Amino acid sequence: MYSSRTLLTLPTEVLTQIFAYLPLVDLLSVQLTCHKTRNIVANTAYLQYILRTQVNGVDDFLPPGFPCSERLKLLRRHEKSWNSLRYSIFTNFATSIGHHHDPDCYTLRDGYLIYEDVSGTELRYGYVDLCSTTRNQEPHWVHIIVEDIRLPLPAKVVFAVDHDLVVAISKQGDDLIRLKLAFFQFTTGIPHPLSSTHTVQLPSIAAVDFSDVGTEMLGDYILTSMRCRGGLASFYLISWKTGTVTLLREVSEMWTPLWGGAPKLTVIDSGLIALIKDSANCLEICKLDLASPDPRLQTVCFLDLPPLTSDTCGVVTMAIKEWVPTARHHARSQSSRGRLVPFYSRQFGTIGLLFNYRTYLNLLGEPFRCTMVINIPAIHYAVRSNVRNVLWMDWGPSGTHVLETTQLNPAGPFWIANTSPLVSTTEHTSSSPSEPLVFSSTEVFGEHWVGSKVETRLPYRNVMANHLDLHHFSRVMADREWIIGIETMRQLRKAKVLIEAVHATQ
């Protein structure tokens, strides 16, 4: 017998459970279907909580039995805090630890201020846990000497504090270069207890060809790029727990007058990787299935970058991103430090790419430099379109914001631009943001682009954090909660490092 029952005739409790399984895009679309579905989503705390955690791109670190209505209340307070941007001076102090007077030797990860020292015959590093430090007091430094690392010194040190992990990459050999990765426990400096091998060696390459090595964390894996001067890059997936090494792909790059070297990789999320080839003037978006027994980089689509004139070449010199934890049990490490952050980013909202442009007639002059902030949902939307080659006009103007600056640091959902102002390039759901979103187009002019300009329309807002002024610091670092300014002071042949920590109130 024909039944006239439809989805909307189901009880509200059942519809709520069905809607809870929907992805963000579909949940937003459901609200536009009719008055009933809109009211269900708007008036159900559970659905509002799911919706707002996805919109904000955060994980919930609250205890399992915490009421949903209280979770939603704390989440709204979290949004309000970032919209009002309440920063305050937490502590400032001077330190003269050994030879650590170079501001570039410091790293900020998840509230840990870390220094590294590879100037002697041993790997030394130290850290301060700002999250366990008392306001207006000088924090306590923990100094580590890694006994198992001797000459040759590491070529690179990676701090993955959410895994309690340090990756030391050593370069060995004269005629042939061999890269060895060693895995240590961050808090103690001993070989990492979860690593079965403690060291991994990559295939050898000729010393004259080796250029540099890059790494990115992907949970229990390390995505490693071994780049050569001849334009060849080899990308490896390394398990720091089991020691398995998988060659994902080898890619070669054509020579350009403004030589940017071999191709580069940058992680968009755990499943999408952007492959950057400067000569192609596009982003090659690839999928990486970590669960596959034979993982490979599989090209999904190509995203064109702003069209260049025939006498121009461009180079992506750097990709900048907010630090995001990749450990599954990161919440436990937070609570063990005597503090619980209710919500934390689980994914990148935006990625910044630094560009150098130069024309063939001006190869010896200073290149034109700018930064492009890319909205990650715009990349996902382009991937879902199933178009192989996506033109710049079909994704770029609405999904990016070009800034005529190279001074950008991510600070949660904001970017620190030109050291002092903070620029937001993500839409906030708060009903009363401190400054309205700007939807008008922004133009950056340059003779190297077709049409002599690039016009972008990604919504943003210019805000100031309590008139925060960081211009006097030579180095500024930030993560989701902290902004650190570092300045070297030299007096009577002695050098000290002045450090100022600014904290965001949540």
Side-chain angles (χ1 to χ4, degrees):
M1 180 183 294
Y2 173 77
S3 174
S4 60
R5 293 177 63 85
T6 65
L7 178 68
L8 295 180
T9 61
L10 294 174
T12 300
E13 295 77 10
V14 176
L15 289 174
T16 299
Q17 294 299 319
I18 295 174
F19 293 164
Y21 285 98
L22 295 177
L24 173 62
V25 175
D26 294 334
L27 190 55
L28 291 171
S29 299
V30 161
Q31 295 183 99
L32 304 176
T33 304
C34 65
H35 289 292
K36 181 174 181 177
T37 56
R38 184 185 65 182
N39 291 335
I40 291 175
V41 175
N43 298 324
T44 306
Y46 180 50
L47 292 179
Q48 279 297 302
Y49 163 75
I50 293 175
L51 180 65
R52 298 177 90 94
T53 51
Q54 291 190 62
V55 167
N56 286 277
V58 295
D59 272 332
D60 181 344
F61 285 176
L62 295 168
F66 209 77
C68 187
S69 59
E70 294 298 316
R71 292 175 188 267
L72 183 59
K73 186 183 300 183
L74 286 176
L75 182 55
R76 284 171 173 159
R77 185 186 304 171
H78 169 88
E79 295 172 350
K80 183 178 179 181
S81 173
W82 279 108
N83 278 313
S84 60
L85 214 62
R86 295 176 295 182
Y87 275 87
S88 60
I89 300 296
F90 185 80
T91 185
N92 52 64
F93 59 94
T95 181
S96 54
I97 305 171
H99 301 285
H100 316 122
H101 306 135
D102 181 5
D104 291 334
C105 78
Y106 289 87
T107 304
L108 181 63
R109 286 288 183 272
D110 194 29
Y112 286 102
L113 179 61
I114 309 165
Y115 75 82
E116 62 179 89
D117 181 7
V118 292
S119 59
T121 59
E122 300 168 318
L123 168 60
R124 300 169 180 261
Y125 67 91
Y127 62 86
V128 163
D129 184 1
L130 295 171
C131 301
S132 302
T133 300
T134 305
R135 184 179 290 273
N136 297 324
Q137 290 188 5
E138 181 172 346
H140 172 68
W141 287 95
V142 177
H143 307 287
I144 304 290
I145 300 177
V146 181
E147 300 290 348
D148 287 7
I149 288 288
R150 301 288 178 178
L151 286 173
L153 291 172
K156 189 179 184 69
V157 182
V158 180
F159 297 98
V161 298
D162 52 323
H163 294 276
D164 196 17
L165 174 69
V166 176
V167 183
I169 305 175
S170 300
K171 184 174 63 174
Q172 303 175 348
D174 296 323
D175 297 331
L176 289 176
I177 294 294
R178 297 183 301 276
L179 292 179
K180 184 175 76 171
L181 284 73
F183 313 120
F184 301 94
Q185 193 172 34
F186 169 70
T187 49
T188 63
I190 65 173
H192 202 290
L194 297 182
S195 177
S196 59
T197 60
H198 301 309
T199 59
V200 166
Q201 185 167 294
L202 298 182
S204 303
I205 61 172
V208 294
D209 291 334
F210 177 75
S211 175
D212 58 48
V213 59
T215 58
E216 289 208 45
M217 294 299 302
L218 281 174
D220 295 340
Y221 297 91
I222 305 170
L223 183 62
T224 304
S225 308
M226 190 160 61
R227 304 170 68 231
C228 302
R229 292 188 179 92
L232 178 68
S234 301
F235 303 120
Y236 296 93
L237 188 67
I238 302 170
S239 171
W240 62 270
K241 289 186 176 180
T242 65
T244 57
V245 179
T246 303
L247 176 63
L248 295 176
R249 192 166 168 183
E250 288 187 333
V251 184
S252 60
E253 172 72 290
M254 295 173 55
W255 184 87
T256 64
L258 185 57
W259 179 238
K264 314 169 187 68
L265 286 183
T266 186
V267 175
I268 299 172
D269 58 27
S270 59
L272 284 183
I273 312 291
L275 173 61
I276 303 170
K277 296 176 66 175
D278 296 321
S279 61
N281 194 40
C282 69
L283 302 178
E284 183 177 343
I285 307 301
C286 306
K287 277 188 176 180
L288 176 60
D289 184 5
L290 295 176
S292 170
D294 185 26
R296 291 289 184 269
L297 287 176
Q298 299 179 344
T299 301
V300 178
C301 65
F302 297 88
L303 303 182
D304 282 354
L305 294 172
L308 302 177
T309 60
S310 58
D311 63 340
T312 297
C313 51
V315 166
V316 177
T317 60
M318 187 184 303
I320 309 173
K321 295 176 292 189
E322 173 191 2
W323 180 85
V324 172
T326 62
R328 295 179 181 176
H329 304 294
H330 180 245
R332 296 180 185 177
S333 66
Q334 289 284 336
S335 58
S336 66
R337 294 161 68 184
R339 134 191 191 273
L340 180 64
V341 178
F343 305 99
Y344 212 104
S345 295
R346 66 167 178 261
Q347 59 192 18
F348 305 117
T350 53
I351 290 181
L353 297 181
L354 271 63
F355 287 86
N356 281 2
Y357 291 107
R358 184 177 279 148
T359 62
Y360 292 94
L361 299 178
N362 190 27
L363 294 180
L364 299 180
E366 284 293 320
F368 177 85
R369 296 182 173 92
C370 66
T371 303
M372 177 185 295
V373 177
I374 302 175
N375 191 26
I376 299 304
I379 296 180
H380 282 282
Y381 181 80
V383 169
R384 289 195 300 268
S385 68
N386 294 322
V387 177
R388 183 71 173 180
N389 295 283
V390 185
L391 300 178
W392 165 254
M393 293 305 297
D394 293 336
W395 80 277
S398 61
T400 67
H401 183 67
V402 176
L403 299 165
E404 197 170 346
T405 179
T406 58
Q407 298 182 14
L408 276 185
N409 284 290
F414 296 92
W415 290 87
I416 304 177
N418 294 327
T419 308
S420 187
L422 300 186
V423 178
S424 168
T425 54
T426 53
E427 296 188 31
H428 292 263
T429 57
S430 174
S431 58
S432 58
S434 57
E435 292 290 339
L437 285 167
V438 177
F439 290 92
S440 60
S441 300
T442 301
E443 296 179 338
V444 175
F445 295 89
E447 62 180 4
H448 39 274
W449 290 311
V450 173
S452 300
K453 68 178 181 180
V454 166
E455 184 177 345
T456 50
R457 301 186 298 274
L458 180 66
Y460 72 96
R461 59 191 179 101
N462 291 319
V463 294
M464 292 289 292
N466 297 341
H467 305 290
L468 186 64
D469 186 7
L470 302 172
H471 282 94
H472 58 286
F473 290 109
S474 56
R475 174 88 188 279
V476 176
M477 299 175 293
D479 67 9
R480 193 163 186 85
E481 294 179 82
W482 300 91
I483 297 178
I484 304 294
I486 298 180
E487 181 61 50
T488 300
M489 303 182 298
R490 298 188 179 275
Q491 298 176 347
L492 300 177
R493 298 182 181 179
K494 294 183 179 181
K496 289 186 176 182
V497 176
L498 176 65
I499 299 175
E500 182 171 287
V502 182
H503 189 252
T505 305
Q506 291 201 38

